[in-house]
Amino acid sequence: MMKTLNFEYDVVILAAGDFPTSVTAMRILRHAKHLIACDGAVEDLLEMEIEPEIIVGDGDSISQTTKEKYQHIFHTIAEQEDNDLTKATKYVLQHFNLTDGASFCYLGATGKREDHTLGNIALLLHYYKHFKINPTMLTDYGWFTPSHGKTTFESFPRQQVSVFQSYCKHIESQGLKWNLYPFKEFWQGTLNEATGYSFTIYSDSTYLVYQTHQPKE
């Protein structure tokens, strides 16, 4: 299996964290097949003259004027068990005709409150394992991708790479500066580096990979 950073995804979900500004993120936003916005992100999106296909949320983070204007695409989900990112993801899975393994890109899911950022990043593995989708979370600095087993990732020399795992009894790598091992602490797989144009991870469980857009100077 080869993992690469795409520019077109089956579904793009915009959350209410830091609004993306990179060329890559804006390209993904403007070319989304299906663009879903969490209600707290709608105002910023509309300022870019981009309209979502669907707006999902509990309605407490959107102005009444905008809510009334877009009531035909606004879907209020009041339950508080899930955050807006998960509500939007579940809505898509329930109402869109997608196949298993559909590609999702999450934008605006980091920044602002650190607890929201950490929670959203952690949700990627949950979505991957339980929702049967292929999610990517993109920021202006890099992107997160979950995977399992043997996976090859497209990269470039001196790209900064971090790997997060918690259940692997076996994990190793080829093409990274420091070989992976079944580390016990969450931080032990951070601050690694690609040595070439791809690297491969071998594991008996799931893991989360972060790759930077730019090489280390």
Side-chain angles (χ1 to χ4, degrees):
M1 180 192 304
M2 170 68 83
K3 294 272 189 177
T4 62
L5 180 63
N6 299 318
F7 295 102
E8 294 187 5
Y9 292 84
D10 296 317
V11 178
V12 176
I13 295 179
L14 177 65
D18 286 344
F19 192 86
T21 60
S22 69
V23 172
T24 299
M26 294 309 298
R27 180 177 173 184
I28 290 171
L29 268 180
R30 295 187 182 279
H31 293 86
K33 296 178 183 177
H34 299 290
L35 176 57
I36 316 302
C38 298
D39 59 1
V42 173
E43 310 286 356
D44 288 335
L45 184 63
L46 295 175
E47 285 186 10
M48 302 299 297
E49 298 184 345
I50 303 173
E51 292 192 354
E53 182 177 351
I54 297 293
I55 303 169
V56 174
D58 55 17
D60 64 354
S61 302
I62 186 173
S63 70
Q64 188 62 32
T65 300
T66 301
K67 188 173 181 179
E68 290 175 359
K69 181 177 179 180
Y70 292 95
Q71 60 180 337
H72 60 293
I73 60 170
F74 189 89
H75 296 272
T76 301
I77 303 176
E79 62 89 3
Q80 296 298 315
E81 180 68 22
D82 295 317
N83 68 1
D84 282 354
L85 201 71
T86 302
K87 290 176 183 177
T89 303
K90 285 184 174 180
Y91 180 90
V92 169
L93 293 174
Q94 291 167 1
H95 295 88
F96 287 56
N97 186 22
L98 301 173
T99 59
D100 285 349
S103 59
F104 281 59
C105 183
Y106 296 92
L107 300 172
T110 63
K112 298 183 179 177
R113 279 181 53 175
E114 289 83 0
D115 54 343
H116 284 183
T117 292
L118 187 58
N120 286 341
I121 293 170
L123 280 169
L124 286 180
L125 283 171
H126 178 75
Y127 297 164
Y128 180 72
K129 291 188 292 185
H130 299 288
F131 292 175
K132 308 303 180 184
I133 64 175
N134 280 308
T136 297
M137 184 175 290
L138 186 91
T139 77
D140 287 340
Y141 305 98
W143 68 97
F144 292 91
T145 310
S147 193
H148 73 283
K150 176 184 176 182
T151 306
T152 298
F153 297 81
E154 186 177 35
S155 61
F156 48 81
R158 297 185 65 79
Q159 181 184 42
Q160 301 302 285
V161 176
S162 291
V163 180
F164 302 91
Q165 63 84 27
S166 56
Y167 299 106
C168 297
K169 295 181 180 179
H170 171 82
I171 185 169
E172 59 180 311
S173 58
Q174 183 177 13
L176 293 177
K177 190 173 182 179
W178 293 282
N179 186 35
L180 299 177
Y181 60 94
F183 33 85
K184 298 180 180 179
E185 301 291 342
F186 200 56
W187 53 267
Q188 287 179 296
T190 63
L191 309 181
N192 213 322
E193 185 175 293
T195 59
Y197 292 95
S198 69
F199 61 89
T200 302
I201 295 177
Y202 307 85
S203 174
D204 61 354
S205 188
T206 55
Y207 48 87
L208 186 64
V209 176
Y210 175 79
Q211 298 172 256
T212 58
H213 293 304
Q214 300 296 328
K216 186 176 181 179
E217 297 293 338

